[in-house]
């Protein structure tokens, strides 16, 4: 085998191993939370433990990569729903998709506040998600489907809020979150209501475990 062929084979093996690791880690974290060991992930992926650390030097690097996958799925859904004719229904469908992903993945809510959320790529993806959901929300506001003081960041935060409300029920009733989504979305609908008592968040900010939050993007 020539040197070029060897290099191509090595790159292909590296891509395959990364894909196997992400799949194994995603499944393990979703089932058991973030305390699963890197050794267990290597076993599930069928690779050596050293291979894990070559791709992901720390568990938080691995969690960041998985978080990016989930954020990319949310972004793809939000982008697709921007083309829907019924903006109110599109916004609710986005929320249902997002909460459904959280309900199926124990790990994602466990990583809130971990250093993995301070990765530049993750923070940039969260910003893009907030911007896209703001576009979804603006369309719903313009069509009179939701109240005029609701923002995209409100909606993103409500994904976690609805999921956390249903969390104690999910082992026995995995679709229980649908009830609480309906309650929450009913509060978003445009009706004669008093103004909300607190200004909307300007930007979603994730808290660093050190106690220092990254600066909000303006």
């Amino acid at each position: 085998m020539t040197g070029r062929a060897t290099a191509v084979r090595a790159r292909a093996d590296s891509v395959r191993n990364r894909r196997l690791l992400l799949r194994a880690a995603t499944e393990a974290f979703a089932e058991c939370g973030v305390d699963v060991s890197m050794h267990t992930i290597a076993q599930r992926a069928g690779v050596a433990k050293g291979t894990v650390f070559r791709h992901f030097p720390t568990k938080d690097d691995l969690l960041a990569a998985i978080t990016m996958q989930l954020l990319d799925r949310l972004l793809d859904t939000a982008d697709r729903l921007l083309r829907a004719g019924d903006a109110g229904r599109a916004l609710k469908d986005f929320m249902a998709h997002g909460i459904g992903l959280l309900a199926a993945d124990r790990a994602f809510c466990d990583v809130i506040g971990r250093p993995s959320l301070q990765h530049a790529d993750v923070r940039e993806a969260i910003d893009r998600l907030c911007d896209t959901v703001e576009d979804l929300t603006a369309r719903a506001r313009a069509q009179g489907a939701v109240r005029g003081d609701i923002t995209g960041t409100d909606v993103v935060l409500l994904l976690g809020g609805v999921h956390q409300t249903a969390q104690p029920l999910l082992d026995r009733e995995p679709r229980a979150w649908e009830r609480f989504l309906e309650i929450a979305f009913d509060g978003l609908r445009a009706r004669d209501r008093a103004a909300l008592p607190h200004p909307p968040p300007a930007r979603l900010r994730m808290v660093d475990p050190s106690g220092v939050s990254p600066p909000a993007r303006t």
Side-chain angles (χ1 to χ4, degrees):
M1 184 178 293
T2 67
R4 179 180 175 79
T6 300
V8 169
R9 175 64 181 272
R11 283 195 296 272
D13 287 345
S14 179
V15 170
R16 180 183 63 85
N17 286 339
R18 180 182 175 85
R19 184 173 64 249
L20 289 172
L21 284 167
L22 284 172
R23 182 185 304 158
T26 299
E27 292 172 355
F29 289 149
E31 292 169 12
C32 307
V34 299
D35 291 333
V36 176
S37 71
M38 299 290 258
H39 177 69
T40 297
I41 291 168
Q43 285 185 319
R44 290 182 69 141
V47 301
K49 187 175 179 180
T51 302
V52 182
F53 291 106
R54 280 196 296 275
H55 286 275
F56 306 104
T58 70
K59 182 182 282 188
D60 282 311
D61 291 321
L62 179 55
L63 285 167
I66 292 171
T67 300
M68 282 295 299
Q69 288 185 328
L70 187 142
L71 289 170
D72 285 343
R73 291 170 68 185
L74 287 174
L75 279 162
D76 287 345
T77 298
D79 284 336
R80 174 176 54 81
L81 288 170
L82 280 171
R83 299 188 291 275
D86 185 337
R89 182 68 200 182
L91 184 61
K92 187 176 180 182
D93 285 349
F94 168 76
M95 294 180 71
H97 177 75
I99 297 164
L101 286 178
L102 295 178
D105 190 342
R106 287 186 55 185
F108 187 74
C109 287
D110 288 350
V111 305
I112 300 301
R114 290 181 66 99
S116 53
L117 285 189
Q118 308 312 318
H119 282 240
D121 288 346
V122 173
R123 287 170 53 187
E124 193 271 336
I126 290 171
D127 281 340
R128 284 190 289 118
L129 178 64
C130 286
D131 289 341
T132 304
V133 178
E134 176 56 37
D135 291 340
L136 274 176
T137 308
R139 292 182 72 242
R141 291 196 304 262
Q143 290 187 10
V146 299
R147 52 189 295 163
D149 50 2
I150 294 298
T151 71
T153 303
D154 290 325
V155 171
V156 172
L157 288 168
L158 279 171
L159 301 183
V162 171
H163 172 257
Q164 288 295 333
T165 300
Q167 179 65 38
L169 306 174
L170 294 180
D171 284 343
R172 292 178 291 104
E173 303 173 57
R175 306 294 296 185
W177 58 266
E178 293 177 342
R179 173 183 178 86
F180 301 105
L181 171 59
E182 190 61 42
I183 293 171
F185 199 80
D186 188 61
L188 300 182
R189 288 189 172 96
R191 296 177 184 146
D192 293 332
R193 300 177 185 272
L196 292 170
H198 191 278
R203 174 63 56 179
L204 185 60
R205 302 175 70 187
M206 295 300 182
V207 178
D208 187 279
S210 68
V212 178
S213 298
R217 195 184 72 175
T218 56

